[in-house]
Amino acid sequence: FKKAGFVSLTTFQKMIRGELNEEEYFLEFESEWKTIGEIVPKRRTYVHNTVDRLGGETDIYNASLWGSIQHTGLYFFLKILNPEYEIVLRSLWPFFEHVGLGGDASIGRGFFQITEEEVDDFGTQGDAKRFITLSLYSPTQDEVNVFSQNKDSTWYQLELRKGRVGGKLYVTNHFLKQPVVMFQEGSSFPIVDGKSNFGCLQLVKNVETVPHKVYQYGYAFPIYSLL
């Protein structure tokens, strides 16, 4: 069950409240997936060709594209801990609406509209035994030590994050960021006593030609679970 990539909101809420265990979910999985399977993102492969304008040779390659059906969206939770950053975040949203995300923006892909909805607080640790992260998570060394001692209560998948510094108009010879191995969204871990925040910032670029240090955000967005 740790590899079930998508569940309904109702199922997720039942599981973190301890009202539904893995065995019970297994019995409901087939009927639930008939609905969820119709709306989850799907990978499609397209054939492209390249042309050497000097020699005239051509070549064919495949490219993948993730997409979903109409009237669905990409949803994320945002908790603002420092009010000073709220104005910065709100200035980014219309910018990304205008320029889009991902490739092929010139042919209309990657554009979207942002809507906001207030949600209830996700609560505190209380009697929780573990947490599920809704964001990519880069643990501190003391957190890794706790997870290593509780392997039977640790469920995760890894993801390698890497990328470039700056945008299309930023010119530098040192544009590659240091790769970081992180826990994927949906990974689950035991509670670390005495901590309410999990994760850290990872330094991924620090050279003289870049005007400031660049960090990879690695703090977990924890949802506490009684299971």
Side-chain angles (χ1 to χ4, degrees):
F1 309 113
K2 63 179 180 179
K3 293 186 178 180
F6 298 88
V7 297
S8 67
L9 177 60
T10 301
T11 296
F12 182 70
Q13 291 173 332
K14 286 182 178 179
M15 295 191 80
I16 63 176
R17 290 196 299 260
E19 300 172 359
L20 182 69
N21 59 35
E22 293 180 346
E23 288 74 17
E24 293 169 333
Y25 176 64
F26 178 78
L27 299 176
E28 300 179 4
F29 179 80
E30 183 176 359
S31 60
E32 179 172 87
W33 186 252
K34 289 180 180 178
T35 301
I36 297 178
E38 296 297 322
I39 62 175
V40 297
K42 297 177 176 61
R43 182 190 293 272
R44 296 178 175 86
T45 301
Y46 297 88
V47 178
H48 295 263
N49 69 300
T50 60
V51 179
D52 185 340
R53 300 185 184 277
L54 296 179
E57 294 85 0
T58 62
D59 194 10
I60 295 178
Y61 68 96
N62 294 326
S64 296
L65 176 70
W66 284 97
S68 58
I69 64 173
Q70 200 173 13
H71 306 305
T72 61
L74 176 65
Y75 299 87
F76 63 92
F77 296 104
L78 180 66
K79 180 185 292 185
I80 300 176
L81 302 178
N82 188 338
E84 295 180 2
Y85 294 123
E86 183 170 357
I87 188 173
V88 178
L89 290 170
R90 292 189 179 278
S91 65
L92 289 175
W93 295 340
F95 171 76
F96 283 120
E97 282 183 327
H98 177 68
V99 302
L101 289 175
D104 292 335
S106 61
I107 58 174
R109 290 181 178 147
F111 291 93
F112 55 90
Q113 289 182 323
I114 293 179
T115 58
E116 297 180 46
E117 181 179 346
E118 294 289 336
V119 297
D120 295 332
D121 186 48
F122 291 103
T124 57
Q125 291 185 14
D127 297 328
K129 298 179 180 179
R130 57 193 308 103
F131 71 91
I132 302 168
T133 178
L134 298 186
S135 64
L136 285 171
Y137 168 38
S138 180
T140 61
Q141 186 58 52
D142 63 317
E143 292 165 1
V144 172
N145 294 339
V146 172
F147 303 155
S148 299
Q149 297 169 7
N150 296 272
K151 295 181 180 179
D152 292 340
S153 300
T154 302
W155 305 87
Y156 63 87
Q157 288 183 305
L158 297 176
E159 179 169 326
L160 179 65
R161 274 301 171 103
K162 55 185 179 179
R164 298 168 175 260
V165 174
K168 299 177 181 178
L169 302 180
Y170 187 77
V171 180
T172 177
N173 293 327
H174 303 279
F175 54 84
L176 292 179
K177 294 187 289 188
Q178 181 71 25
V180 179
V181 177
M182 309 182 75
F183 291 123
Q184 283 188 359
E185 304 92 331
S187 298
S188 180
F189 306 93
I191 295 294
V192 180
D193 292 337
K195 300 194 72 171
S196 57
N197 295 317
F198 307 95
C200 62
L201 299 176
Q202 291 281 5
L203 181 64
V204 294
K205 178 61 66 176
N206 182 22
V207 294
E208 294 181 356
T209 55
V210 178
H212 55 78
K213 296 179 181 179
V214 179
Y215 293 87
Q216 173 71 45
Y217 187 88
Y219 286 100
F221 195 126
I223 300 294
Y224 298 106
S225 172
L226 296 176
L227 286 179

